[in-house]
Amino acid sequence: MAQIQHRIDEMTDDSGFLGLVDPHAYTSFVGEDWTLEALFERVESEMRQRTVLLWGTGGEGQWRIDLSDSPVDPRLPIIRKIAGPITVTQGELVVVNLDTVTMAAQFADSAVDDDKDIYGSSIELPNGDYICTISQLTDPEEDRTHEGPDFHLQLIAGRTSPWFEVAWSEL
């Protein structure tokens, strides 16, 4: 497999959630009058199908995100870490914020990859099953201790048990 190295310099997050999604397999539209409960039920159903991973960030902000097939630089602190499965069906995954997910849930003509060009958040990968290890490297409640990314997403080929709920969330 070719080496994966991709950086998103600044992804806006006004809701405290980020995600990784296969935009070609994820069923985004919930309804024009969706509720947060209905949206999270959809996301959790899609997580069981390995089309999306969604996690809480611990706060709102502008996030720097690295995607790689290598582990986190050992000089960087890991605040928390979790691994989950995702499947690539048409050669692409996209990092998303909850705002994009909610727009796609409400409007049938919106899609979860609508903002990928704005953020540079699309990554090309061979089709297949991946384990994504999400490491949070900064604490939004504390001062930064390094100039590296806020999140590191390591993608390696493989399978693991699906998520049944949004990670690091109290909703």
Side-chain angles (χ1 to χ4, degrees):
M1 181 165 97
Q3 186 175 8
I4 303 167
Q5 291 285 67
H6 185 76
R7 167 155 294 170
I8 301 166
D9 289 318
E10 190 173 280
M11 175 162 277
T12 302
D13 167 29
D14 293 330
S15 60
F17 292 92
L18 293 174
L20 183 65
V21 62
D22 178 337
H24 308 284
Y26 178 79
T27 304
S28 59
F29 184 68
V30 174
E32 290 183 11
D33 297 322
W34 62 266
T35 63
L36 190 58
E37 180 179 298
L39 174 65
F40 273 70
E41 286 174 6
R42 167 62 54 83
V43 168
E44 290 167 354
S45 171
E46 293 288 326
M47 284 193 301
R48 289 189 292 277
Q49 296 177 52
R50 297 175 168 85
T51 65
V52 65
L53 296 171
L54 188 72
W55 64 91
T57 61
E60 301 170 0
Q62 302 283 331
W63 304 112
R64 189 176 315 143
I65 305 162
D66 280 356
L67 293 97
S68 176
D69 55 359
S70 301
V72 173
D73 181 332
R75 297 171 292 184
L76 297 175
I78 297 175
I79 306 302
R80 56 187 176 177
K81 178 168 72 170
I82 191 168
I86 192 151
T87 300
V88 177
T89 61
Q90 292 188 37
E92 175 185 40
L93 292 176
V94 178
V95 178
V96 295
N97 58 31
L98 190 61
D99 296 334
T100 303
V101 174
T102 59
M103 289 297 288
Q106 185 170 357
F107 300 104
D109 61 347
S110 290
V112 290
D113 62 352
D114 281 353
D115 294 336
K116 69 182 180 183
D117 294 333
I118 294 169
Y119 295 116
S121 59
S122 173
I123 184 167
E124 292 181 9
L125 291 166
N127 290 350
D129 295 319
Y130 291 84
I131 298 169
C132 179
T133 301
I134 302 155
S135 300
Q136 186 163 1
L137 309 176
T138 58
D139 184 340
E141 309 265 328
E142 304 288 332
D143 291 336
R144 288 187 73 88
T145 60
H146 61 84
E147 293 304 314
D150 300 293
F151 291 91
H152 180 275
L153 280 57
Q154 180 186 17
L155 290 158
I156 57 171
R159 288 182 65 91
T160 190
S161 299
W163 286 2
F164 291 94
E165 61 186 17
V166 175
W168 305 331
S169 171
E170 296 180 13
L171 293 180

